Amino acid sequence: MQRLPQQLADEKLGDFVRQVREARLAIDPSFSVRQLAIRCGVSPAFLSRFERGDVPPPSERVLLKLASELGQDPDVLLAMAGKISADLRAAILARPKLFAELIRAVRVVPDHALLRVVREVRDGDW
């Protein structure tokens, strides 16, 4: 049940987590609030309150565990929480001016063009 990032922008993280969890619960009883909370290292009460939007998003560690358990992209869950992963933060802090310029430049680039840039950087022979 992977969703497109554009669809996620308007959705609250807790609602999204609950929808994905409930979809998984319909197939697998191990996705109850209690069992998922235990696997993620939080209390069932906290997970329930988070899904309802009563508490702020959990830590990066918990969000990464939720993403893994629910089969979701961890960077998408972190972004929905207004966070970035520690590895991305370290990369940006290593060269803040260059990354700021890059991110501002690609804000308006269509997805297909940005994907081409990502592939070139990833697969390029440096």
Side-chain angles (χ1 to χ4, degrees):
M1 184 172 161
Q2 195 72 18
R3 300 206 186 164
L4 299 174
Q6 301 92 301
Q7 293 171 313
L8 297 176
D10 296 329
E11 192 166 355
K12 296 201 188 286
L13 178 57
D15 290 338
F16 176 73
V17 167
R18 185 185 68 252
Q19 289 172 15
V20 173
R21 183 188 58 73
E22 287 177 348
R24 300 289 301 265
L25 179 62
I27 301 165
D28 182 346
S30 72
F31 283 91
S32 68
V33 169
R34 176 172 299 284
Q35 291 185 25
L36 180 60
I38 290 168
R39 290 195 307 272
C40 292
V42 296
S43 72
F46 173 82
L47 181 57
S48 178
R49 290 191 319 260
F50 166 62
E51 286 184 350
R52 290 192 316 267
D54 294 342
V55 296
S59 68
E60 178 181 346
R61 179 192 61 77
V62 173
L63 287 171
L64 293 177
K65 187 66 177 163
L66 274 171
S68 175
E69 289 288 333
L70 295 173
Q72 298 298 308
D73 185 302
D75 288 319
V76 172
L77 287 190
L78 287 168
M80 290 179 75
K83 301 178 182 197
I84 60 170
S85 64
D87 65 321
L88 290 178
R89 188 176 312 106
I92 292 168
L93 291 173
R95 297 187 266 180
K97 186 172 180 175
L98 288 174
F99 276 103
E101 186 176 339
L102 175 64
I103 292 167
R104 287 185 181 108
V106 300
R107 264 191 335 207
V108 296
V109 173
D111 286 354
H112 71 278
L114 185 55
L115 183 57
R116 195 168 62 219
V117 170
V118 168
R119 287 180 179 152
E120 176 66 29
V121 170
R122 183 189 61 215
D123 302 337
D125 184 17
W126 305 100

